[in-house]
């Protein structure tokens, strides 16, 4: 029982930022207020402040992505949220139609309930799309902060070479190739998005 209560409390805490659109606020309002890194060495202190704030935001976003993909049942995309809301609205209209018919059949007065005809998109919480958009904005503003989402991986490749003019078999040559490797968080997101297709 106590474990269930703790889990529900933790889950409600995860939903709070999305319910109040805090992640969208961080992306469209907070980040522009932090400024952008400057190319001028004379204001390097401001650059240090900027990198510090962005690195904190990057850490929060990564940790939140990890937690939300493990415990939360938020819609994975805005498209899925819209689909679910439209389905629910359709059910409400069907139920209201059935209630109207039942009241007419039983000769009872009918009081119509006002049901919206379209989904109110202003009620949409922040979805995983918005969290990913925040992560992308963080990485774009501060590439050094992207290590929480991506890492580099060095791969050795064998270079194809043609026969030499003197008839000798050339030795195999290898070259190092740098590739991006998704972090554990990004792998989780890939699994979640595949379930939404």
């Amino acid at each position: 029982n106590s474990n269930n209560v703790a889990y529900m409390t933790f889950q409600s805490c995860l939903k709070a930022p999305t319910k109040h659109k805090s992640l969208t606020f961080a992306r469209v309002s907070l980040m522009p207020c932090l400024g952008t890194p400057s190319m001028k060495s004379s204001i390097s202190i401001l650059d240090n402040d900027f990198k510090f704030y962005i690195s904190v935001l990057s850490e929060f976003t990564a940790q939140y992505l990890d937690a939300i993909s493990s415990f939360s049942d938020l819609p994975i995309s805005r498209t899925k949220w819209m689909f679910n809301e439209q389905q629910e609205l359709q059910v409400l209209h069907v139920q209201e139609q059935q209630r109207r018919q039942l009241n007419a059949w039983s000769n009872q007065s009918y009081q119509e309930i006002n049901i919206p005809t379209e989904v109110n998109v202003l009620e949409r919480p922040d979805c995983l799309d918005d969290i990913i958009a925040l992560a992308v904005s963080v990485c774009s503003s501060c590439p050094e902060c992207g290590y929480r989402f991506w890492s580099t991986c060095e791969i050795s490749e064998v270079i194809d070479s043609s026969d030499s003019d003197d008839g000798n078999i050339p030795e195999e040559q290898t070259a190092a190739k740098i590739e991006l490797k998704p972090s554990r968080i990004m792998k989780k997101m890939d699994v979640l998005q595949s379930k939404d297709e």
Side-chain angles (χ1 to χ4, degrees):
N1 241 350
S2 58
N3 289 337
N4 289 338
V5 172
Y7 175 79
M8 294 301 294
T9 302
F10 180 70
Q11 196 173 42
S12 64
C13 290
L14 285 178
K15 288 184 177 182
T18 60
K19 181 180 178 181
H20 299 289
K21 302 183 185 292
S22 301
L23 303 170
T24 297
F25 169 80
R27 178 169 57 90
V28 302
S29 298
L30 177 61
M31 287 188 63
C33 290
L34 297 178
T36 56
S38 173
M39 301 300 292
K40 297 180 180 179
S41 58
S42 58
I43 51 176
S44 58
I45 296 178
L46 295 179
D47 279 352
N48 291 336
D49 290 343
F50 172 80
K51 289 179 180 178
F52 170 74
Y53 295 138
I54 292 294
S55 65
V56 171
L57 186 59
S58 171
E59 185 70 21
F60 164 78
T61 306
Q63 293 288 349
Y64 189 76
L65 265 174
D66 192 19
I68 210 171
S69 60
S70 300
F71 301 102
S72 184
D73 59 349
L74 290 176
I76 193 171
S77 67
R78 301 171 187 173
T79 303
K80 186 174 182 180
W81 178 87
M82 177 63 75
F83 174 78
N84 292 341
E85 291 296 311
Q86 288 174 340
Q87 291 290 100
E88 185 177 342
L89 195 59
Q90 186 177 358
V91 170
L92 290 177
H93 280 285
V94 170
Q95 290 176 344
E96 182 64 15
Q97 178 68 21
Q98 291 174 344
R99 192 173 71 88
R100 182 187 296 111
Q101 292 173 352
L102 180 61
N103 286 359
W105 175 78
S106 59
N107 267 338
Q108 294 182 359
S109 61
Y110 168 71
Q111 185 175 359
E112 185 175 359
I113 299 177
N114 187 19
I115 300 177
T117 57
E118 295 181 353
V119 176
N120 185 3
V121 294
L122 295 178
E123 294 180 354
R124 179 183 64 79
D126 279 343
C127 300
L128 289 181
D129 306 63
D130 302 294
I131 306 171
I132 295 174
L134 175 59
V136 170
S137 297
V138 169
C139 293
S140 299
S141 300
C142 179
E144 296 91 344
C145 303
Y147 75 94
R148 295 292 285 120
F149 310 97
W150 297 91
S151 60
T152 55
C153 179
E154 186 172 320
I155 300 176
S156 297
E157 275 191 341
V158 177
I159 301 177
D160 294 333
S161 57
S162 57
D163 294 340
S164 59
D165 295 335
D166 56 9
N168 296 328
I169 299 176
E171 297 181 356
E172 287 187 346
Q173 298 180 359
T174 59
K177 182 181 179 182
I178 304 297
E179 290 188 352
L180 286 176
K181 183 180 179 182
S183 65
R184 180 170 60 92
I185 298 170
M186 298 304 293
K187 289 179 180 178
K188 279 185 179 181
M189 296 305 304
D190 187 50
V191 172
L192 285 176
Q193 288 192 346
S194 65
K195 292 179 181 179
D196 192 38
E197 294 176 352

